[in-house]
Amino acid sequence: MKKAILRAAMRQKRQNVASHARLSQKAMERFLQTSLYRNAETVLIYLDLASELKTTLLLQTLLADSQKRCVVPYCLPNKELGLFHLQSETELERGKYGILEPSETWRNVASRRVEPNRLDLVLVPGLAWDFWGGRLGQGGGYYDRFLPKLSPRTRTVGAGFDCQILDAVPLEPEDYAVDFLVTESRWIRCLPMVVGVVGGIACGKSLVSEFLAQQGAALFPADQVGHQALEDPEIREKIVARWGVSVLDTDTSVSRPKLAQVVFSEGDGEDLAFLDRLIHPWIEERWKRFRQQCVHQRRPWIVLDAALLLEAGWQGFCDEILFVETPRERQWAFARGRGWTEDELLQREKRQFSLERKRAAATVVVKNDTTPEALRQQLERWLAERFPERDFYKGFVEEVRRQR
């Protein structure tokens, strides 16, 4: 069905909903009870128009909570959304399309403007949704342009009535799905399930990730993606500005071995911290795009393989954290296979969390102490226990469906 025809049908369907105010109240009460809302400090909500699910209760609750910032959108001439820190309903007036927006006077106050990457939680309007978070908007494209600007750490929630949830919504490549849905009767998780893999250096994380990928997981190799970041002209320029051309190869590309020699050398760790500040946001942006791609492809689970998963604060992206426990002598052997000396391994380890800290953060532990086959068998047992299906991929799909 073409989007225009579907939009007309869904507008009529939404208009036919009886007791808009009562059902909207129930949906907003459900939203307010979530840990996502309780833990968020800066929350953007849409201000409803016509037959949209009403956000009155949420607006009043946010404005009365001194621990949270209430942010509302307003339309800009270029079909972009501006964001405003609202402190009182008296600051609102009817704007374009008849939607309540901050008045022209207030929106010009620079201290009240909010950047998209400062948001913790966003409530998104729409005409229709599917269980993967696919969204059908009004057709103006305002939110289509806005959602890609959010931080990968920002959570998005689509708000609508039960009748607005469809089996599938037509998606274009540039369409962004939301993470959760809330209606008068349901709270639906739309995110793919994510398994993060952690462990010591040269412990066998890649073996684990490759096996899980063989079982149907989409694999995001964060370290490999980070290597690609060194090819970014802006990042390369900042690296040269700090360390000079000595970290470049003859073709003027950044040399990973030369750069590693600098950042992992003895010191206060500021060199590595500087590099992390360059690379991690770049990887997070690619992670956000990858996760959206998985939604479009209907991939129900992802493996996030990142050496610095915990150090970068990416555990919040994960549903499970799998720790690979490897004997020290085996780890030394793997490191030598990569051409590292024991001293190089020790220097790298100093820049990561301890193995004890990583293990404590894990929800699953597997031992890589004998053969790859033994490691694979442990992973098979875990998958069989976690998802009691002979087809592990089907197990993940069924688990996701049960949650939805």
Side-chain angles (χ1 to χ4, degrees):
M1 182 183 294
K2 291 184 178 180
K3 282 189 175 182
I5 298 173
L6 183 58
R7 282 194 178 98
M10 294 309 300
R11 284 193 185 97
Q12 187 61 54
K13 200 171 187 180
R14 193 175 65 183
Q15 288 170 2
N16 292 338
V17 172
S19 307
H20 272 75
R22 181 177 61 83
L23 297 183
S24 296
Q25 180 100 348
K26 290 181 67 174
M28 290 298 92
E29 287 173 351
R30 189 177 303 279
F31 178 76
L32 289 167
Q33 292 169 1
T34 65
S35 59
L36 276 181
Y37 175 78
R38 290 195 302 270
N39 296 332
E41 293 182 3
T42 304
V43 183
L44 180 138
I45 68 169
Y46 70 88
L47 298 174
D48 58 272
L49 179 69
S51 61
E52 289 180 329
L53 189 143
K54 299 183 182 304
T55 57
T56 306
L57 172 63
L58 178 56
L59 176 64
Q60 294 170 348
T61 303
L62 272 171
L63 290 176
D65 190 339
S66 61
Q67 302 302 310
K68 297 186 185 296
R69 288 206 302 169
C70 177
V71 180
V72 295
Y74 58 92
C75 297
L76 295 171
N78 56 357
K79 288 199 169 185
E80 299 277 354
L81 288 178
L83 309 181
F84 177 79
H85 175 201
L86 185 72
Q87 296 182 358
S88 170
E89 291 186 66
T90 61
E91 297 165 354
L92 299 171
E93 64 181 17
R94 294 287 171 185
K96 194 172 184 178
Y97 308 118
I99 303 172
L100 281 173
E101 297 182 340
S103 68
E104 196 73 38
T105 301
W106 278 109
R107 72 175 65 170
N108 288 328
V109 178
S111 62
R112 294 290 198 91
R113 296 178 193 145
V114 180
E115 292 299 319
N117 61 5
R118 305 299 295 176
L119 298 171
D120 299 316
L121 184 59
V122 175
L123 192 72
V124 184
L127 280 170
W129 314 89
D130 63 30
F131 291 105
W132 293 87
R135 171 181 175 271
L136 181 71
Q138 296 283 357
Y142 284 89
Y143 278 87
D144 293 327
R145 297 179 184 86
F146 164 67
L147 292 174
K149 297 177 182 179
L150 297 175
S151 162
R153 299 169 187 269
T154 303
R155 287 289 173 251
T156 54
V157 180
F161 300 105
D162 285 342
C163 65
Q164 293 177 257
I165 309 296
L166 306 178
D167 289 336
V169 167
L171 293 177
E172 305 297 333
E174 65 275 10
D175 289 341
Y176 259 69
V178 296
D179 301 330
F180 299 88
L181 297 174
V182 64
T183 72
E184 69 270 26
S185 68
R186 302 184 71 180
W187 174 260
I188 304 168
R189 174 199 165 115
C190 307
L191 286 167
M193 191 169 293
V194 180
V195 178
V197 181
V198 300
I201 297 172
C203 70
K205 294 190 298 295
S206 296
L207 282 175
V208 170
S209 298
E210 288 167 8
F211 170 78
L212 295 178
Q214 291 169 6
Q215 306 309 310
L219 175 59
F220 184 81
D223 297 339
Q224 292 180 28
V225 174
H227 298 162
Q228 297 168 13
L230 300 179
E231 301 171 9
D232 183 272
E234 185 176 342
I235 289 178
R236 177 190 174 280
E237 181 180 343
K238 290 179 179 178
I239 287 174
V240 172
R242 183 175 180 93
W243 291 296
V245 296
S246 63
V247 297
L248 300 181
D249 281 328
T250 54
D251 62 356
T252 71
S253 61
V254 176
S255 167
R256 285 173 46 213
K258 292 178 181 178
L259 186 60
Q261 189 173 8
V262 172
V263 300
F264 292 112
S265 62
E266 291 287 352
D268 59 6
E270 182 50 38
D271 282 337
L272 183 58
F274 174 83
L275 185 63
D276 288 344
R277 288 194 294 271
L278 284 182
I279 302 297
H280 287 175
W282 197 93
I283 297 174
E284 287 187 14
E285 182 59 32
R286 271 67 192 172
W287 163 254
K288 181 175 73 173
R289 297 178 191 176
F290 181 82
R291 194 174 61 188
Q292 287 293 325
Q293 181 183 357
C294 289
V295 169
H296 280 251
Q297 296 173 349
R298 299 303 195 243
R299 303 292 294 272
W301 65 303
I302 301 171
V303 170
L304 174 55
D305 181 1
L308 299 177
L309 189 149
L310 300 178
E311 292 84 346
W314 294 337
Q315 61 268 35
F317 299 153
C318 303
D319 299 282
E320 302 271 9
I321 296 180
L322 190 152
F323 177 77
V324 185
E325 189 170 68
T326 308
R328 193 61 166 170
E329 62 275 9
R330 191 173 179 82
Q331 193 180 1
W332 288 127
F334 289 153
R336 284 192 294 270
R338 297 183 182 183
W340 297 350
T341 66
E342 292 186 5
D343 184 61
E344 286 176 313
L345 179 62
L346 290 171
Q347 290 299 325
R348 289 171 181 264
E349 284 185 331
K350 288 180 181 178
R351 306 307 185 191
Q352 294 190 11
F353 288 170
S354 69
L355 294 180
E356 292 76 16
R357 186 170 178 179
K358 291 182 179 182
R359 198 183 198 284
T363 58
V364 184
V365 177
V366 294
K367 295 181 182 295
N368 183 19
D369 53 2
T370 53
T371 65
E373 175 62 21
L375 178 62
R376 183 184 66 81
Q377 290 175 0
Q378 291 177 71
L379 292 168
E380 286 181 341
R381 285 196 296 271
W382 168 64
L383 286 172
E385 292 169 2
R386 181 70 170 81
F387 305 98
E389 299 277 350
R390 295 189 67 183
D391 181 336
F392 301 132
Y393 181 78
K394 181 181 178 183
F396 269 94
V397 172
E398 292 304 317
E399 174 71 11
V400 171
R401 284 178 178 166
R402 279 194 291 271
Q403 291 186 11
R404 293 171 181 170

